[in-house]
Amino acid sequence: MTTYGKMEIVARGDNEIVMTRVFDARRDLVYDAFTKPERVKRWLGVFGGWTLPVCEMDVRVGGKYRWVWRKVGAEMGMGGVYREIVPNERIVSTEKFDDPWYEGEALGTVTFVEGGGKTTLTQIVRYESKKIRDAVLSGPMASGVEKSYAKLAEILATMSTRRSPEKAGRKS
């Protein structure tokens, strides 16, 4: 196991990477940050001069997503298909880069588990082989995910201070 900031990353089996991070926010807020384009554009890979100007998401089984990051002189795009959606609990989707830096297609599973007002997010990425998984682990992926999650944590902190939907209509 390796720790990057507040994220733990583990190689599991022959071809999986498991990343875990606890967010100080309700599960519905974390899930929304993964499924609403206007929120995804604020945190996913947007550091070091990168922006996410293309963020198209049809969040339903069989729906597609397309993301394109840009910074001066560079562009990186990827997309995939949603295979399973369980609102506030689980997202399963494929992942393929336009200019592949690893062979084949990956399968990602993100789960959201709430306890005590915090949400444990677990992201599992399954690659086509151990060789590909190990190559991804030796690259900048983990530090990039941690930077994105740190930005997400900052955004969620501002959202979590607002009243929850259950309390919004009640007087104390």
Side-chain angles (χ1 to χ4, degrees):
M1 175 181 70
T2 305
T3 302
Y4 289 88
K6 295 184 178 185
M7 181 181 76
E8 293 181 348
I9 184 167
V10 177
R12 184 171 75 182
D14 287 335
N15 61 345
E16 291 183 342
I17 296 172
V18 180
M19 296 170 278
T20 305
R21 166 89 190 236
V22 177
F23 291 96
D24 191 12
R26 297 186 328 263
R27 177 169 64 173
D28 63 309
L29 294 177
V30 181
Y31 179 83
D32 283 355
F34 272 76
T35 57
K36 294 185 176 180
E38 66 276 10
R39 294 196 178 156
V40 172
K41 289 175 84 165
R42 295 178 58 200
W43 67 270
L44 184 60
V46 292
F47 54 85
W50 289 94
T51 62
L52 183 56
V54 177
C55 185
E56 301 164 350
M57 302 170 63
D58 181 9
V59 184
R60 62 179 175 83
V61 174
K64 295 180 181 180
Y65 71 93
R66 173 108 177 105
W67 299 328
V68 179
W69 292 269
R70 290 191 185 118
K71 80 176 198 177
V72 176
E75 181 173 286
M76 180 175 67
M78 68 170 290
V81 176
Y82 294 104
R83 294 214 176 145
E84 181 182 350
I85 301 289
V86 180
N88 296 321
E89 292 181 22
R90 181 178 169 94
I91 301 167
V92 179
S93 62
T94 62
E95 169 184 295
K96 187 164 179 89
F97 284 85
D98 296 354
D99 188 13
W101 55 283
Y102 63 82
E103 296 175 39
E105 183 176 77
L107 182 67
T109 301
V110 181
T111 58
F112 309 84
V113 177
E114 186 173 350
K118 297 181 185 288
T119 299
T120 300
L121 180 137
T122 303
Q123 183 171 6
I124 302 168
V125 184
R126 182 181 308 142
Y127 298 93
E128 293 184 2
S129 70
K130 181 180 188 315
K131 178 183 171 187
I132 295 168
R133 188 269 320 267
D134 291 348
V136 169
L137 277 173
S138 69
M141 180 276 303
S143 64
V145 172
E146 170 53 27
K147 288 175 185 173
S148 291
Y149 283 177
K151 184 140 187 159
L152 174 58
E154 290 173 17
I155 292 166
L156 289 169
T158 65
M159 297 171 72
S160 295
T161 59
R162 299 178 192 156
R163 293 188 299 170
S164 67
E166 310 82 59
K167 295 179 183 175
R170 294 188 217 154
K171 293 182 181 178
S172 299

